[in-house]
PDB file of all heavy atoms in Angstrom:
ATOM      1  N   SER A   5      59.650 -88.018 -39.047  1.00 78.00           N
ATOM      2  CA  SER A   5      58.228 -87.791 -38.755  1.00 78.00           C
ATOM      3  C   SER A   5      58.080 -86.976 -37.452  1.00 78.00           C
ATOM      4  O   SER A   5      57.184 -86.146 -37.320  1.00 78.00           O
ATOM      5  CB  SER A   5      57.494 -89.130 -38.630  1.00 78.00           C
ATOM      6  OG  SER A   5      58.062 -89.914 -37.584  1.00 78.00           O
ATOM      7  N   THR A  10      56.755 -81.755 -34.948  1.00 86.00           N
ATOM      8  CA  THR A  10      57.144 -80.633 -34.088  1.00 86.00           C
ATOM      9  C   THR A  10      57.055 -79.315 -34.841  1.00 86.00           C
ATOM     10  O   THR A  10      56.543 -78.309 -34.318  1.00 86.00           O
ATOM     11  CB  THR A  10      58.577 -80.839 -33.559  1.00 86.00           C
ATOM     12  OG1 THR A  10      58.632 -82.084 -32.834  1.00 86.00           O
ATOM     13  CG2 THR A  10      58.989 -79.705 -32.655  1.00 86.00           C
ATOM     14  N   SER A  41      42.919 -38.138 -25.778  1.00 62.00           N
ATOM     15  CA  SER A  41      43.569 -37.725 -24.534  1.00 62.00           C
ATOM     16  C   SER A  41      43.415 -36.223 -24.361  1.00 62.00           C
ATOM     17  O   SER A  41      43.334 -35.482 -25.333  1.00 62.00           O
ATOM     18  CB  SER A  41      45.055 -38.099 -24.566  1.00 62.00           C
ATOM     19  OG  SER A  41      45.698 -37.449 -25.648  1.00 62.00           O
ATOM     20  N   ALA A  51      45.127 -20.148 -26.827  1.00 53.00           N
ATOM     21  CA  ALA A  51      44.408 -19.954 -28.091  1.00 53.00           C
ATOM     22  C   ALA A  51      42.907 -19.986 -27.856  1.00 53.00           C
ATOM     23  O   ALA A  51      42.161 -19.180 -28.402  1.00 53.00           O
ATOM     24  CB  ALA A  51      44.822 -21.037 -29.099  1.00 53.00           C
ATOM     25  N   GLY A  61      31.489 -28.863 -22.827  1.00 48.00           N
ATOM     26  CA  GLY A  61      30.522 -29.921 -22.619  1.00 48.00           C
ATOM     27  C   GLY A  61      29.100 -29.468 -22.836  1.00 48.00           C
ATOM     28  O   GLY A  61      28.179 -29.995 -22.224  1.00 48.00           O
ATOM     29  N   ILE A  71      28.459 -12.562 -12.783  1.00 82.00           N
ATOM     30  CA  ILE A  71      27.829 -13.198 -11.630  1.00 82.00           C
ATOM     31  C   ILE A  71      27.750 -12.224 -10.457  1.00 82.00           C
ATOM     32  O   ILE A  71      26.729 -12.096  -9.784  1.00 82.00           O
ATOM     33  CB  ILE A  71      28.601 -14.469 -11.232  1.00 82.00           C
ATOM     34  CG1 ILE A  71      28.525 -15.513 -12.353  1.00 82.00           C
ATOM     35  CG2 ILE A  71      28.036 -15.056  -9.940  1.00 82.00           C
ATOM     36  CD1 ILE A  71      29.356 -16.741 -12.097  1.00 82.00           C
ATOM     37  N   ILE A  79      20.468  -8.236  -4.497  1.00 80.00           N
ATOM     38  CA  ILE A  79      20.524  -7.818  -3.101  1.00 80.00           C
ATOM     39  C   ILE A  79      19.960  -6.418  -2.928  1.00 80.00           C
ATOM     40  O   ILE A  79      19.231  -6.120  -1.989  1.00 80.00           O
ATOM     41  CB  ILE A  79      21.977  -7.890  -2.580  1.00 80.00           C
ATOM     42  CG1 ILE A  79      22.436  -9.353  -2.527  1.00 80.00           C
ATOM     43  CG2 ILE A  79      22.092  -7.250  -1.192  1.00 80.00           C
ATOM     44  CD1 ILE A  79      23.879  -9.511  -2.145  1.00 80.00           C
ATOM     45  N   PHE A 121     -33.461  22.546   9.003  1.00 93.00           N
ATOM     46  CA  PHE A 121     -32.219  23.156   9.487  1.00 93.00           C
ATOM     47  C   PHE A 121     -31.735  24.188   8.472  1.00 93.00           C
ATOM     48  O   PHE A 121     -32.053  24.118   7.288  1.00 93.00           O
ATOM     49  CB  PHE A 121     -31.149  22.084   9.709  1.00 93.00           C
ATOM     50  CG  PHE A 121     -31.437  21.153  10.842  1.00 93.00           C
ATOM     51  CD1 PHE A 121     -32.120  19.969  10.608  1.00 93.00           C
ATOM     52  CD2 PHE A 121     -31.058  21.467  12.127  1.00 93.00           C
ATOM     53  CE1 PHE A 121     -32.395  19.102  11.648  1.00 93.00           C
ATOM     54  CE2 PHE A 121     -31.331  20.602  13.179  1.00 93.00           C
ATOM     55  CZ  PHE A 121     -32.005  19.422  12.936  1.00 93.00           C
ATOM     56  N   SER A 127     -28.533  36.927  20.310  1.00 93.00           N
ATOM     57  CA  SER A 127     -28.743  37.843  21.431  1.00 93.00           C
ATOM     58  C   SER A 127     -27.468  38.622  21.663  1.00 93.00           C
ATOM     59  O   SER A 127     -26.386  38.038  21.766  1.00 93.00           O
ATOM     60  CB  SER A 127     -29.133  37.062  22.689  1.00 93.00           C
ATOM     61  OG  SER A 127     -29.240  37.934  23.802  1.00 93.00           O
ATOM     62  N   ASN A 156     -18.094  43.229  22.675  1.00 92.00           N
ATOM     63  CA  ASN A 156     -17.475  42.699  23.881  1.00 92.00           C
ATOM     64  C   ASN A 156     -17.338  41.175  23.781  1.00 92.00           C
ATOM     65  O   ASN A 156     -18.158  40.494  23.157  1.00 92.00           O
ATOM     66  CB  ASN A 156     -18.317  43.045  25.113  1.00 92.00           C
ATOM     67  CG  ASN A 156     -18.489  44.542  25.291  1.00 92.00           C
ATOM     68  OD1 ASN A 156     -17.534  45.312  25.118  1.00 92.00           O
ATOM     69  ND2 ASN A 156     -19.694  44.969  25.643  1.00 92.00           N
ATOM     70  N   VAL A 167     -31.284  21.724  28.074  1.00 96.00           N
ATOM     71  CA  VAL A 167     -31.852  21.002  26.936  1.00 96.00           C
ATOM     72  C   VAL A 167     -33.158  20.375  27.393  1.00 96.00           C
ATOM     73  O   VAL A 167     -33.202  19.683  28.421  1.00 96.00           O
ATOM     74  CB  VAL A 167     -30.893  19.896  26.429  1.00 96.00           C
ATOM     75  CG1 VAL A 167     -31.484  19.193  25.209  1.00 96.00           C
ATOM     76  CG2 VAL A 167     -29.531  20.471  26.091  1.00 96.00           C
ATOM     77  N   GLY A 181     -16.017  20.695  21.602  1.00 94.00           N
ATOM     78  CA  GLY A 181     -15.498  21.630  20.611  1.00 94.00           C
ATOM     79  C   GLY A 181     -16.051  23.028  20.693  1.00 94.00           C
ATOM     80  O   GLY A 181     -15.588  23.915  19.956  1.00 94.00           O
ATOM     81  N   PRO A 183     -16.481  26.776  22.126  1.00 93.00           N
ATOM     82  CA  PRO A 183     -15.508  27.644  22.810  1.00 93.00           C
ATOM     83  C   PRO A 183     -16.019  28.078  24.178  1.00 93.00           C
ATOM     84  O   PRO A 183     -17.211  28.319  24.370  1.00 93.00           O
ATOM     85  CB  PRO A 183     -15.371  28.830  21.856  1.00 93.00           C
ATOM     86  CG  PRO A 183     -16.688  28.892  21.159  1.00 93.00           C
ATOM     87  CD  PRO A 183     -17.153  27.476  21.002  1.00 93.00           C
ATOM     88  N   ILE A 197     -23.209  19.015  20.252  1.00 96.00           N
ATOM     89  CA  ILE A 197     -23.949  18.750  21.483  1.00 96.00           C
ATOM     90  C   ILE A 197     -24.517  17.345  21.359  1.00 96.00           C
ATOM     91  O   ILE A 197     -25.240  17.044  20.395  1.00 96.00           O
ATOM     92  CB  ILE A 197     -25.069  19.777  21.709  1.00 96.00           C
ATOM     93  CG1 ILE A 197     -24.478  21.183  21.835  1.00 96.00           C
ATOM     94  CG2 ILE A 197     -25.891  19.424  22.945  1.00 96.00           C
ATOM     95  CD1 ILE A 197     -25.539  22.284  21.941  1.00 96.00           C
ATOM     96  N   ASP A 206     -39.662   8.902  22.390  1.00 90.00           N
ATOM     97  CA  ASP A 206     -40.936   9.465  21.908  1.00 90.00           C
ATOM     98  C   ASP A 206     -40.840  10.965  21.685  1.00 90.00           C
ATOM     99  O   ASP A 206     -41.835  11.685  21.777  1.00 90.00           O
ATOM    100  CB  ASP A 206     -42.046   9.150  22.919  1.00 90.00           C
ATOM    101  CG  ASP A 206     -41.719   9.681  24.315  1.00 90.00           C
ATOM    102  OD1 ASP A 206     -40.554  10.055  24.539  1.00 90.00           O
ATOM    103  OD2 ASP A 206     -42.637   9.718  25.161  1.00 90.00           O
ATOM    104  N   ASP A 216     -24.682  33.570  29.052  1.00 93.00           N
ATOM    105  CA  ASP A 216     -23.258  33.794  29.299  1.00 93.00           C
ATOM    106  C   ASP A 216     -22.970  33.690  30.794  1.00 93.00           C
ATOM    107  O   ASP A 216     -23.877  33.714  31.628  1.00 93.00           O
ATOM    108  CB  ASP A 216     -22.833  35.162  28.760  1.00 93.00           C
ATOM    109  CG  ASP A 216     -23.576  36.295  29.443  1.00 93.00           C
ATOM    110  OD1 ASP A 216     -24.767  36.105  29.740  1.00 93.00           O
ATOM    111  OD2 ASP A 216     -22.971  37.340  29.688  1.00 93.00           O
TER     112      ASP A 216
END
Side-chain angles (χ1 to χ4, degrees):
S5 60
T10 302
S41 60
I71 296 175
I79 293 175
F121 292 92
S127 176
N156 301 318
V167 182
I197 299 175
D206 57 347
D216 61 323

